[in-house]
């Protein structure tokens, strides 16, 4: 695998080109963004912050990192990597952004899955997520050439029409920004929970299961649907810690009733359905 950091960056303050200058990224107007010693960069100006510590908390990020490292979602990672690499144009490295990358599990997996050159960036609004991602792709872990940045999907610090692929997994899509950042013919991979996903956990924490969300039939402006794929598997969690980590990394922790949470946290094993939907949206024009 040859992985290089994605470099077509835009200043989050004025959209001008950012260039690497020593250990910082700079725009022609002199806006300056230092690269931290762990290798990541903060491209989220205070003006774009809606709170002091936006996105997932340190505890949620740590729980997700522990849970994902156990490998239960590997079938999802395999399918997402394959869908990302499908129909990759030859020649130039495939430029791919993971928008809302969390602690970087899926991008690390993609880096290991490709023989072709890749140019990669992971972006998340949570500084804890980006720090965890940067730490896991530096020595003593094998160094990976992935760029990690704090930033928002609402205003991607990426130049227009520079991405071949954009991943948004269990995240917060901003269609107009995704459309702007992708090249014509580029692909947005929208990865979301299917109706059966973690059904057994939801059965325990909610007094009555909500009706499945109505399928969003609308096509996002500027895209056409190339394919929809479903990943179905089973996982058996074998400790209270794993169940607690899974609960902490999903929105269910906040939505569950207190009794529901207690019921789940009293368990020491849980067999679960994994049901994930991958949509490949191609940018038109
Ligand atoms: C459910 S987690 C999924 C993380 C990762 N994609 C995964 O599947 O492991 C959602 C992530 O989106 C991030 N997030 C929330 N709002 C965001 C925004 N406006 N821009 C970028 N990331 C955001 C959170 O900090 C969190 O890491
Ligand atoms: Zn600038």
């Amino acid at each position: 695998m040859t992985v290089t950091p994605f470099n077509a960056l835009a200043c989050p303050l004025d959209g001008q080109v950012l260039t690497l200058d020593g250990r910082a990224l700079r725009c022609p107007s002199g806006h300056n963004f230092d690269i931290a010693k762990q290798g990541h960069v903060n491209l989220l100006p205070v003006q774009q912050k809606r709170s002091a510590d936006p996105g997932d908390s340190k505890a949620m990020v740590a729980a997700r990192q522990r849970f994902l490292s156990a490998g239960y979602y590997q079938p999802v990672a395999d399918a997402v990597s394959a869908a990302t690499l499908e129909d990759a144009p030859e020649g130039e490295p495939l430029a791919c952004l993971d928008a809302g990358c969390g602690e970087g599990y899926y991008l690390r997996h993609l880096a290991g899955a490709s023989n072709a050159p890749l140019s990669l960036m992971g972006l998340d609004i949570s500084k804890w997520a980006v720090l965890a991602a940067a730490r896991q792709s530096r020595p003593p872990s094998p160094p990976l050439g992935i760029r990690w940045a704090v930033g928002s999907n609402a205003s991607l610090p990426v130049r227009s029409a520079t991405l071949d692929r954009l991943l948004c997994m269990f995240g917060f899509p901003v269609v107009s920004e995704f459309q702007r950042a992708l090249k014509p013919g580029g692909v947005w991979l929208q990865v979301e929970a299917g109706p059966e996903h973690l059904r057994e956990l939801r059965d325990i924490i909610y007094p009555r299961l909500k009706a499945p969300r109505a399928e969003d039939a609308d096509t996002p402006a500027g895209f056409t649907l190339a394919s929809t794929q479903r990943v179905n598997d089973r996982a058996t969690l074998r400790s209270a810690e794993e169940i607690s980590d899974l609960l902490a990394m999903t929105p269910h922790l906040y939505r569950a009733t207190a009794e529901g949470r207690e019921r789940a946290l009293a368990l020491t094993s849980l067999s679960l359905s994994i049901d994930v939907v991958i949509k490949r949206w191609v940018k038109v024009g």
Side-chain angles (χ1 to χ4, degrees), residues 50 64 76 94 118 128 172 181 184 188 200 205 217 248 255 276:
R50 297 240 179 98
R64 179 171 299 111
V76 180
L94 188 80
L118 301 172
W128 305 111
F172 301 90
W188 158 30
E200 299 80 355
I205 63 178
R255 293 189 197 142
V276 171

Side-chain angles (χ1 to χ4, degrees), residues 76-86 94-100 106-107 110 163-173 178 182 185-192 223-229 276-283:
V76 180
D78 289 340
V80 168
S81 291
T84 305
L85 298 169
E86 194 181 317
L94 188 80
C96 177
L97 170 72
D98 186 349
Y106 296 98
L107 221 45
L110 175 65
L163 292 169
D164 296 297
R165 301 285 183 270
L166 193 150
L167 281 175
C168 187
M169 304 195 52
F170 311 108
F172 301 90
F178 291 5
L182 280 164
V187 178
W188 158 30
L189 289 120
Q190 184 183 20
V191 181
E192 290 188 342
F223 288 95
T224 169
L225 186 62
S227 64
T228 301
Q229 181 191 348
V276 171
V277 179
I278 305 174
K279 289 188 178 160
R280 293 180 94 250
W281 297 104
V282 179
K283 173 172 165 171

Side-chain angles (χ1 to χ4, degrees), residues 11-18 26-33:
C11 175
L13 292 166
D14 54 26
Q16 294 189 84
V17 173
L18 280 182
R26 255 183 253 287
C27 89
S29 300
H31 298 126
N32 197 51
F33 305 91

Side-chain angles (χ1 to χ4, degrees), residues 55-56 64 68 100-102 106 124-126 151-153 169-170 172:
D56 278 12
R64 179 171 299 111
L68 290 174
C101 61
Y106 296 98
D124 201 285
I125 206 165
S126 158
S152 176
N153 291 357
M169 304 195 52
F170 311 108
F172 301 90

Side-chain angles (χ1 to χ4, degrees), residues 66-233:
R66 283 191 300 268
F67 183 85
L68 290 174
S69 69
Y72 296 117
Y73 280 11
Q74 191 173 333
V76 180
D78 289 340
V80 168
S81 291
T84 305
L85 298 169
E86 194 181 317
D87 294 333
E90 284 181 20
E92 293 290 292
L94 188 80
C96 177
L97 170 72
D98 186 349
C101 61
E103 53 73 61
Y105 174 72
Y106 296 98
L107 221 45
R108 287 194 300 279
H109 189 281
L110 175 65
S114 170
N115 295 320
L118 301 172
S119 160
L120 300 182
M121 168 153 144
L123 182 91
D124 201 285
I125 206 165
S126 158
K127 65 178 179 207
W128 305 111
V130 173
L131 184 60
R135 283 201 172 126
Q136 289 177 89
S137 52
R138 307 274 298 171
S141 309
L144 294 170
I146 304 174
R147 178 166 316 284
W148 300 108
V150 181
S152 176
N153 291 357
S155 177
L156 295 174
V158 165
R159 277 148 61 190
S160 299
T162 53
L163 292 169
D164 296 297
R165 301 285 183 270
L166 193 150
L167 281 175
C168 187
M169 304 195 52
F170 311 108
F172 301 90
V174 179
V175 176
S176 56
E177 272 299 87
F178 291 5
Q179 223 270 346
R180 179 188 68 76
L182 280 164
K183 295 177 186 172
V187 178
W188 158 30
L189 289 120
Q190 184 183 20
V191 181
E192 290 188 342
E196 293 302 312
H197 195 53
L198 310 181
R199 167 175 278 278
E200 299 80 355
L201 178 66
R202 290 184 286 127
D203 277 341
I204 292 165
I205 63 178
Y206 297 119
R208 227 176 305 118
L209 264 196
K210 285 193 237 147
R213 249 189 320 148
E215 181 65 16
D216 193 352
D218 287 348
T219 296
F223 288 95
T224 169
L225 186 62
S227 64
T228 301
Q229 181 191 348
R230 202 115 169 231
V231 182
N232 289 105
D233 208 324

